[in-house]
Amino acid sequence: MPKCSEPAEREIDLLFQALADPSRRAMVDRLTCGPASVSELARPLAMSLPAVVQHLHLLEASGLVCTEKLGRVRTCSIESTALRTAEAWVAGRRTAWERRLDRLGDFLAEQTNKPEQESTQ
Amino acid sequence: MPKCSEPAEREIDLLFQALADPSRRAMVDRLTCGPASVSELARPLAMSLPAVVQHLHLLEASGLVCTEKLGRVRTCSIESTALRTAEAWVAGRRTAWERRLDRLGDFLAEQTNKPEQESTQ
DNA sequence: GTAATACTTAAGCGAATGCCTAAGTGTTCA
DNA sequence: TGAACACTTAGGCATTCGCTTAAGTATTAC
């Protein structure tokens, strides 16, 4: 049973997979300035509309973007919870590693402050 | 000419692509506990050694992991700068979006605090 | 010197990705 | 009602991905 505080592997998979494509990141970028329709998302991209829709599906599946259709236009917007999840995964690993480096630094400093013991080469 | 403070698109591509695979994330996870040889990285993974080496190449290309070969064993360790880059990309977009939400909230609150003007809808 | 170790390279293969065009569906405007 | 609009679905196709096995190359231990 996975802890609910730790997102499932598959969830993180979809998140980073979604962020791994420049076109999808451009869509995310655009959406951080505010909601947009599918056509608005497609306009700056050098590809067909169906291609954009496919990218959008991935973004929705990852939870990074949510959409709602009203009449014939679908409006897309950013879901910041997903961005937080990705951020937390990376930050967790980075801080763990940096804490380790700090401890190592402390240890080495302590060793050099003990001149009565021989240092190991 | 790209600003050096903003990493190139290709760099971010490689970063998120590297993080998009559960095996590679497991390798990163393992390395946050300290450096490891290729065999040590491979041990918990259910795949052949060449497959692990291929993943390792991607991790190196992304800058997430750096390696050094001494004798016949290659030692791998985390490069926290790359983790910072990924973290910064996500954090930048998240905060931009959340600032927007805050401004919107302020605006709406201001509207409801003006009973002399008719509210829209 | 021989054998075991620790990778490393090469070739191949099935599945997934990223794109396309063509042909829909439903909504709105005139 | 008919045309324009905003997607949406379907099918196809080239490339990339993740993995495999087989056969290397150094390095270290006996």
Side-chain angles (χ1 to χ4, degrees):
Chain A
M1 179 170 57
K3 283 198 286 183
C4 54
S5 59
E6 288 181 16
E9 279 296 284
R10 182 61 186 151
E11 192 184 332
I12 309 276
D13 265 30
L14 292 174
L15 263 176
F16 287 128
Q17 229 169 73
L19 292 175
D21 182 273
S23 305
R24 287 191 293 265
R25 284 200 308 279
M27 292 167 76
V28 168
D29 257 344
R30 164 63 188 82
L31 290 177
T32 56
C33 306
S37 71
V38 177
S39 317
E40 278 166 357
L41 283 182
R43 194 143 29 227
L45 301 176
M47 65 180 71
S48 68
L49 194 65
V52 172
V53 172
Q54 281 177 339
H55 283 306
L56 189 57
H57 285 333
L58 280 196
L59 287 170
E60 286 193 72
S62 75
L64 280 166
V65 167
C66 64
T67 74
E68 192 186 7
K69 192 157 186 178
L70 272 160
R72 63 185 171 183
V73 38
R74 177 175 298 278
T75 305
C76 315
S77 57
I78 288 282
E79 200 69 56
S80 60
T81 11
L83 284 174
R84 272 182 194 282
T85 303
E87 204 179 331
W89 193 95
V90 180
R93 273 68 189 177
R94 181 181 59 77
T95 54
W97 172 247
E98 289 179 348
R99 264 197 304 275
R100 211 195 107 90
L101 284 188
D102 286 349
R103 281 198 307 272
L104 187 62
D106 290 352
F107 173 76
L108 290 178
E110 199 169 320
Q111 288 304 96
T112 57
N113 290 343
K114 285 182 182 173
E116 69 276 7
Q117 295 183 4
E118 77 281 3
S119 68
T120 59
Q121 222 256 339
Chain B
M1 179 170 54
K3 282 197 288 183
C4 54
S5 58
E6 288 181 15
E9 280 295 284
R10 182 62 187 151
E11 192 184 333
I12 308 275
D13 265 30
L14 292 174
L15 263 175
F16 287 128
Q17 232 169 72
L19 293 174
D21 182 272
S23 306
R24 286 192 293 265
R25 283 199 309 278
M27 293 167 75
V28 168
D29 257 344
R30 163 63 189 82
L31 290 177
T32 56
C33 307
S37 71
V38 177
S39 318
E40 278 167 357
L41 283 182
R43 194 142 31 226
L45 300 176
M47 65 181 72
S48 69
L49 195 65
V52 172
V53 173
Q54 282 176 339
H55 283 305
L56 189 57
H57 284 333
L58 280 196
L59 287 170
E60 286 194 71
S62 75
L64 280 166
V65 167
C66 64
T67 75
E68 192 186 7
K69 191 157 186 178
L70 273 159
R72 64 185 170 182
V73 38
R74 177 175 296 279
T75 305
C76 316
S77 57
I78 288 281
E79 201 68 58
S80 59
T81 5
L83 284 173
R84 272 182 194 281
T85 303
E87 203 179 332
W89 193 96
V90 180
R93 273 66 189 177
R94 181 182 58 77
T95 54
W97 173 247
E98 289 179 349
R99 264 197 304 275
R100 212 196 105 92
L101 284 188
D102 287 349
R103 280 199 305 274
L104 187 62
D106 291 351
F107 173 74
L108 291 178
E110 199 170 319
Q111 289 304 96
T112 56
N113 289 343
K114 284 182 184 175
E116 68 275 9
Q117 298 184 4
E118 77 281 5
S119 68
T120 60
Q121 216 249 343

